[in-house]
Amino acid sequence: SDGDGCGHAGGCNDGVGVIAVGVRDGDITGLEAKNDVKWGATSWNVGVEYRTSKDRLIYGRISTGYRAGGIGGHGNLTGANYSFDSAELINYETGIKGLYFDGAVQLSATYFYQDFDSYWVYASRLRTEAEQLQNPGSGPYTGENTAISGAEIQGIELEGAWNISDRLTIRGFYNWLDSSVGDYASAYPY
């Protein structure tokens, strides 16, 4: 440092700042089909809670989730396959929360199940003979976005806390997750 207090070896000048701004046209020349893709959805959530006592709560919830679609993959897509659709899921959840032993122990348990209408993956596969004849110099593999039906996720979450004293609390959790994706052909999934 040269003693000016900034900490840099070359010194610092007061009042110097840099602002960078970038502007880009959203149109994609030559791939106009990519300019007009739009996605949107409304999600919802309905739940019910029931107190079995002042220290215990049982609850249930049904909700939806949404993931917008996308464009392309890794440059291998041609024709109308530039974009892929959105994915939606419905989530079912139930659980119990409570305080035990005069409030010294807090426990909660939750089970959830999520069912996707489709799950999109980008994967490479070997080109068919017709694809190789159509574009012989492009190599043996092609990439494609594939909608997979049958994607499901379920799990159990357990949490606990034991307030041993005013100065010591032990906390812990356990999470079990089981997920499955339907069948699809792929040489290399991404």
Side-chain angles (χ1 to χ4, degrees):
S1 174
D2 61 1
D4 66 0
C6 76
H8 294 106
C12 294
N13 297 322
D14 291 335
V16 175
V18 176
I19 298 175
V21 176
V23 177
R24 182 172 87 68
D25 184 358
D27 289 341
I28 303 172
T29 305
L31 302 174
E32 283 73 17
K34 291 185 177 183
N35 295 331
D36 295 325
V37 293
K38 294 179 174 68
W39 298 277
T42 300
S43 60
W44 52 267
N45 178 355
V46 175
V48 62
E49 295 179 350
Y50 176 71
R51 288 198 176 275
T52 61
S53 68
K54 71 178 185 110
D55 292 335
R56 304 225 194 349
L57 172 76
I58 297 173
Y59 68 94
R61 177 181 10 254
I62 300 174
S63 57
T64 59
Y66 172 80
R67 182 175 67 178
I71 297 176
H74 296 273
N76 296 341
L77 300 179
T78 60
N81 294 329
Y82 292 131
S83 64
F84 55 94
D85 289 333
S86 59
E88 296 185 29
L89 71 87
I90 188 162
N91 177 63
Y92 305 92
E93 181 178 342
T94 187
I96 184 169
K97 298 177 180 186
L99 297 173
Y100 303 89
F101 304 107
D102 295 324
V105 175
Q106 176 183 350
L107 299 173
S108 66
T110 302
Y111 170 79
F112 63 90
Y113 173 79
Q114 299 173 340
D115 185 17
F116 291 78
D117 67 344
S118 62
Y119 187 80
W120 287 89
V121 300
Y122 178 81
S124 292
R125 64 169 174 78
L126 287 171
R127 291 183 189 275
T128 64
E129 185 177 345
E131 290 170 327
Q132 290 178 7
L133 291 173
Q134 181 182 15
N135 193 353
S138 62
Y141 292 99
T142 186
E144 65 185 5
N145 293 308
T146 304
I148 302 170
S149 60
E152 300 172 338
I153 299 173
Q154 65 178 336
I156 296 173
E157 297 174 346
L158 304 173
E159 293 181 62
W162 177 21
N163 190 10
I164 297 172
S165 70
D166 291 341
R167 300 179 65 176
L168 180 62
T169 300
I170 296 176
R171 299 181 186 277
F173 68 91
Y174 173 79
N175 195 353
W176 172 77
L177 187 64
D178 177 39
S179 60
S180 65
V181 176
D183 294 332
Y184 67 100
S186 172
Y188 301 104
Y190 296 92

